[in-house]
Amino acid sequence: MIHLPDEHGRFGAFGGAFVPETLIYALEELKQSFYSAKEDPSFCNTLDSMLRHFAGRPTPLTCCENLSHKFDCKIYLKREDLLHTGAHKINNAIGQALLAKRMGKTRLIAETGAGQHGVAVATVGAKLGFETEIYMGSKDIERQRLNVFRMELMGANVHSVNSGSKTLKDAINEALRDWTASVENTHYLLGSVLGPHPYPDMVAHFQSVIGREAREQILEAEERLPNMIVACVGGGSNAIGIFRSFLSDAEVRLIGVEAGGSGIETGKHAARFGDLKSGRPGVLHGTYSYVLQDPFGQIIETHSVAAGLDYPAVGPEHAFWRDFGRIEFTSVRDDEALEALRFLSQTEGILPALESAHALSHAFRLAETADRHEIIVINLSGRGDKDIFELERILRGGHEPLRPAV
Ligand SMILES: *Cc1c(COP(=O)(O)O)cnc(C)c1O
């Protein structure tokens, strides 16, 4: 089994730490603290206890009888949608906040696009008594008023970022700027397996509880491993969180699903691996990985109906395993994700997040041609409650009753 990353945070050619000198000290401190904490039983116990009693772990592995019947193969969902705040992001937020405590920090900063990560950070900030500051593009604040309000209810301070495209990547730049000036008392709580070392490895570690549970649960239910595991990939944290426990089981196919937006050929998407023309290795926000860029290396604006998948780069660990051939990648368009969302809702009574619906849609494609005895596990990264107004806008488009999906 290949052990990753190396001491410089590299996953093969990918990863590393491309940051200004002013952040080197903070990253070094974080590295030491994280790698010692993860071996410290008292830290691990506190983390386990908070995941259990505050976040709601372990999450169930639900067997979907109705879907299984329709497709004539076995389909299971790993239910991260049932966690506190509605998605897997809380796993990482709790881990890093406890680490920040251990380092003696009193202030948390974070960036957020759709607001889901901001809500998770504001939540743990309140629980653990931090001063919490969230950076968000002014355009995203406009689009995500309810999540902004949720963060404010939790006592967080939301900063509007007016530079650049006024979205996630500009919020990250601003958060990094804050951190440069505040490292002494502040922890930057990054939301996915992105950014400079040790973030990609650390976030993957805090999310790997998903795969450890899923492995135990499927063995208990079926007495064997699944044939395929499918997860959506924004930065890649929920995906690597479930995949890590199965990397050395060559018989288990691991499949990541990117946002195909309006279609790869339209240029309006976030398929870093799927767009062979624009998706090329490069540095963004401190790490070397696949990035959507123009011929001059300028970052291309992405599009997805799922805000959590709408980012121009992908985690370096995914880049490595993709080039290595261990993790397969594909993409699902907005309209296909919407159809899968409605199908799951009506067949199983579970409303998935738009992000998770990308994984569902591809899993349904795979299920069409699977054998009866095959098992597919889908990581249901979050619930769809946050998307309800957007869904109504897109699907209803008036005041007519919603027709049943086919
Ligand atoms: C943020 C988010 C994602 C995408 O982030 P990853 O780091 O790729 O997991 C996926 N699903 C949901 C529900 C999210 O909130």
Side-chain angles (χ1 to χ4, degrees), residues 46-74:
T46 311
L47 175 60
D48 283 353
S49 166
M50 202 164 160
L51 288 174
R52 179 176 291 267
H53 301 291
F54 186 66
R57 302 213 74 88
T59 59
L61 183 72
T62 303
C63 180
C64 297
E65 279 93 9
N66 301 334
L67 281 180
S68 302
H69 185 69
K70 282 203 180 200
F71 288 109
D72 206 19
C73 66
K74 268 205 163 155

Side-chain angles (χ1 to χ4, degrees), residues 182-364:
S182 65
V183 286
E184 218 146 281
N185 71 342
T186 299
H187 174 63
Y188 180 14
L189 208 165
L190 214 145
S192 190
V193 284
L194 296 161
H197 184 54
Y199 282 103
D201 190 37
M202 178 170 69
V203 176
H205 173 76
F206 288 135
Q207 293 293 1
S208 64
V209 62
I210 305 172
R212 284 197 303 278
E213 285 176 11
R215 189 185 174 94
E216 205 170 288
Q217 290 165 321
I218 197 71
L219 286 173
E220 160 120 32
E222 297 283 344
E223 295 179 334
R224 70 175 184 91
L225 295 177
N227 298 82
M228 309 173 221
I229 304 178
V230 188
C232 65
V233 180
S237 70
N238 84 87
I240 207 69
I242 194 163
F243 291 165
R244 262 197 178 182
S245 291
F246 301 89
L247 282 168
S248 20
D249 304 297
E251 73 274 25
V252 182
R253 280 178 69 189
L254 305 175
I255 303 149
V257 184
E258 299 185 285
S262 312
I264 306 291
E265 69 290 350
T266 66
K268 291 176 73 183
H269 62 78
R272 293 71 39 116
F273 294 129
D275 186 335
L276 302 177
K277 191 165 49 80
S278 306
R280 287 177 285 117
V283 171
L284 183 64
H285 297 132
T287 191
Y288 182 71
S289 186
Y290 278 76
V291 180
L292 284 168
Q293 51 191 304
D294 71 13
F296 305 101
Q298 296 299 304
I299 305 305
I300 289 178
E301 207 170 310
T302 52
H303 163 82
S304 171
V305 70
L309 305 184
D310 202 352
Y311 181 71
V314 61
E317 190 168 352
H318 287 285
F320 175 82
W321 289 118
R322 186 262 195 174
D323 283 7
F324 191 83
R326 180 64 188 97
I327 304 180
E328 306 162 48
F329 285 87
T330 185
S331 65
V332 156
R333 291 191 315 265
D334 290 349
D335 59 320
E336 296 170 313
L338 285 162
E339 192 185 306
L341 174 144
R342 297 190 64 190
F343 189 64
L344 185 75
S345 303
Q346 290 171 22
T347 318
E348 294 287 346
I350 296 171
L351 174 63
L354 275 166
E355 291 81 5
S356 322
H358 286 70
L360 287 164
S361 174
H362 186 65
F364 296 161

Side-chain angles (χ1 to χ4, degrees), residues 85-108:
T85 67
H88 67 292
K89 288 196 170 74
I90 195 83
N91 301 324
N92 168 56
I94 289 175
Q96 285 195 49
L98 289 174
L99 201 59
K101 274 249 136 99
R102 185 182 164 96
M103 291 186 289
K105 312 284 181 187
T106 56
R107 185 171 171 266
L108 295 178

